[in-house]
Amino acid sequence: MKFLRPVFVVTILALILETSAFAAPEKNAHQPKLQSLREHISLVKSLPSEMKRFEYQSGFQFEYPDAVRGIYVTGHSAGSGKFKQLINLTENSDLNSMVIDIKDDWGNLTYTPDDSSPYKKIGKNYIKNPTQMLKTLEQKKIYPIARIVVFKDTVLATAKPELSFKNGSKVWVNSRGESFVNPFLQEVWDYNVEIAIEAAKMGFQEIQFDYVRFPEGFETRDKKLQYSMGNYEKSQGDDTQKRVQAVTDFIAYAKKKLEPFSVKVSVDIFGYTATLPEAPGIGQNFSKISEHIDVISSMIYPSHWTSYFGISKPDLEPYKLVSEYAKLESNILSNLENPPISRPWLQDFTATWLGKGNYKKYGKAEVEAQIRALNDHGINEFLLWNAANTYSKNVDYTP
């Protein structure tokens, strides 16, 4: 004989006593209450002891690779004949992943959402059939990562100047004609998180947030521009700390909102951020960001460094530069309780703008040198950046 749990016994006794003391004189007055009791017990017994949280199912089946070895793919490439070339590249090599633009560097969606979507107006028909694209990736066993550019967003800044930074009566633009939206504002957070959720619903297995920061050099203009600090206006700390807190809070918020969709969350971050306690203008703190994500992707292109590591011309020494960075990063991550996966961005382009004698042509040897430097420090994942999506030939991606 099975015994009722204590809570059921107490409930039964309470109802019996209540029936005895207050029952009306009619002969069968207690029957509805006993019936209700039986229904209550039946209902409680049918509920699981621990409710499983909601998880969205996109219908796609992808497995996380042994180690992500990926390439960057623009919306234009993903929606054109070049996509087939990039598929062939992964099939004929040890590459296994693609980082695909879903919200690009200007703030456009790279596909056209449904008519009911609030993002219909910012959609571009670069990727004409996202579902078919993901089906192809599923068939080819290529791990799909959705890149979402967050706070660099000329489209949103132009449409809603109050969400941006203003220089007098105009929206501020940088030297490249780009505008940023304000990381202090909840409305900006939600705008980007909802786009990330849509990408997760499509079937992307990971959301990669890029430009999760204030504009470069913001510490030199933060007192000159007009903008709201939202809820951070009265928070503790100086302006640098407020920027760090806003960026970190956004990442934690986005991670929480994406939990029901079973996607990994990764963040792109300046490589030099790991060399500082925190980057004063842009609001990035390597350790704090790392505490809230699954993957950290530092952009450690040799061409983008000065002589910080004692290497006078870093672009000429890809192995040494990446090796020095890897040692530094590994030391930082080892001090975290739950460190994210390290998956740096590597250089597969030639930095001619550095001038003669300061750069070299990047190809098979230079790409392999960077990968080998990571591997030598126990880092087995990487992403390759080439803005035109033209990658070096005959590279051994597992040297």
Side-chain angles (χ1 to χ4, degrees):
M1 174 179 179
K2 293 185 178 179
F3 292 96
L4 291 176
R5 294 181 181 178
V7 65
F8 295 151
V9 175
V10 171
T11 303
I12 293 169
L13 290 175
L15 286 172
I16 291 173
L17 289 172
E18 180 183 355
T19 302
S20 300
F22 299 104
E26 285 82 7
K27 183 177 180 181
N28 296 319
H30 65 288
Q31 288 182 347
K33 289 189 176 181
L34 291 176
Q35 178 66 26
S36 175
L37 174 60
R38 285 194 295 270
E39 290 175 354
H40 170 72
I41 293 174
S42 176
L43 175 62
V44 174
K45 281 186 173 182
S46 67
L47 292 175
S49 58
E50 185 176 335
M51 295 291 287
K52 184 179 180 181
R53 68 181 178 86
F54 165 76
E55 289 186 5
Y56 182 86
Q57 299 295 327
S58 68
F60 289 102
Q61 296 292 325
F62 290 96
E63 289 187 8
Y64 193 87
D66 61 312
V68 167
R69 297 179 291 274
I71 54 174
Y72 166 60
V73 180
T74 66
H76 289 284
S77 292
S80 70
K82 192 159 192 172
F83 188 60
K84 186 176 181 180
Q85 298 174 24
L86 297 173
I87 291 286
N88 289 339
L89 173 63
T90 59
E91 285 193 294
N92 294 308
S93 71
D94 285 316
L95 292 172
N96 55 31
S97 306
M98 289 186 179
V99 179
I100 301 173
D101 275 345
I102 287 301
K103 178 172 178 260
D104 68 18
D105 289 59
W106 293 97
N108 300 302
L109 293 189
T110 58
Y111 66 98
T112 303
D114 294 337
D115 290 341
S116 60
S117 170
Y119 301 101
K120 175 74 172 179
K121 291 183 179 179
I122 66 169
K124 299 292 184 181
N125 197 31
Y126 303 150
I127 304 174
K128 297 171 182 59
N129 191 333
T131 301
Q132 183 57 52
M133 178 189 72
L134 284 160
K135 284 181 180 178
T136 300
L137 295 177
E138 180 185 38
Q139 179 186 0
K140 304 295 185 180
K141 294 181 170 53
I142 298 171
Y143 182 70
I145 303 169
R147 177 176 178 256
I148 293 176
V149 176
V150 182
F151 297 124
K152 187 173 76 165
D153 192 331
T154 304
V155 170
L156 181 58
T158 302
K160 292 190 173 184
E162 69 276 13
L163 300 182
S164 184
F165 305 100
K166 296 180 71 176
N167 186 7
S169 61
K170 297 181 179 180
V171 171
W172 173 82
V173 297
N174 63 17
S175 60
R176 295 182 295 275
E178 302 162 330
S179 297
F180 280 66
V181 287
N182 189 347
F184 285 125
L185 302 181
Q186 179 78 38
E187 185 176 346
V188 175
W189 293 11
D190 288 331
Y191 179 88
N192 284 281
V193 168
E194 288 302 317
I195 291 173
I197 288 173
E198 287 305 307
K201 287 180 176 180
M202 278 187 215
F204 282 93
Q205 301 298 291
E206 183 171 317
I207 304 300
Q208 182 190 91
F209 291 116
D210 200 358
Y211 285 87
V212 189
R213 60 176 177 83
F214 286 78
E216 292 173 71
F218 193 75
E219 70 275 18
T220 66
R221 58 179 64 92
D222 63 334
K223 304 300 183 186
K224 302 174 185 177
L225 300 177
Q226 296 83 53
Y227 57 95
S228 170
M229 294 185 76
N231 295 329
Y232 294 89
E233 183 72 46
K234 297 181 181 179
S235 63
Q236 295 181 346
D238 59 19
D239 287 350
T240 294
Q241 290 302 314
K242 290 177 181 179
R243 288 192 288 270
V244 167
Q245 194 61 50
V247 168
T248 306
D249 286 350
F250 164 75
I251 292 166
Y253 178 79
K255 182 73 163 66
K256 185 69 175 176
K257 288 289 187 178
L258 286 163
E259 280 181 2
F261 301 93
S262 301
V263 290
K264 290 187 181 299
V265 174
S266 57
V267 168
D268 294 338
I269 191 169
F270 277 146
Y272 81 83
T273 301
T275 72
L276 304 168
E278 50 204 14
I282 63 175
Q284 288 185 341
N285 180 304
F286 184 91
S287 295
K288 289 182 178 179
I289 288 173
S290 295
E291 290 172 351
H292 298 288
I293 53 178
D294 301 300
V295 181
I296 188 82
S297 289
S298 289
M299 297 172 282
I300 57 174
Y301 320 120
S303 61
H304 283 41
W305 291 86
T306 62
S307 57
Y308 179 87
F309 293 112
I311 307 170
S312 60
K313 297 181 179 182
D315 196 62
L316 303 182
E317 300 189 60
Y319 178 89
K320 187 174 181 181
L321 184 283
V322 172
S323 180
E324 290 298 317
Y325 174 84
K327 284 191 289 187
L328 176 71
E329 184 192 84
S330 296
N331 184 55
I332 296 171
L333 293 180
S334 67
N335 291 319
L336 300 180
E337 185 175 347
N338 294 300
I341 295 169
S342 173
R343 187 197 297 156
W345 279 102
L346 302 180
Q347 178 173 330
D348 194 359
F349 57 85
T350 298
T352 54
W353 62 85
L354 294 175
K356 188 176 181 180
N358 298 310
Y359 76 92
K360 65 189 301 185
K361 181 174 176 58
Y362 269 54
K364 170 181 166 64
E366 290 71 26
V367 172
E368 289 177 359
Q370 295 173 84
I371 297 170
R372 192 164 57 251
L374 291 180
N375 293 168
D376 287 349
H377 292 281
I379 301 173
N380 298 313
E381 301 205 0
F382 64 84
L383 301 170
L384 296 178
W385 181 271
N386 181 290
N389 303 163
T390 303
Y391 296 97
S392 297
K393 296 180 180 180
N394 303 317
V395 173
D396 181 357
Y397 295 109
T398 56

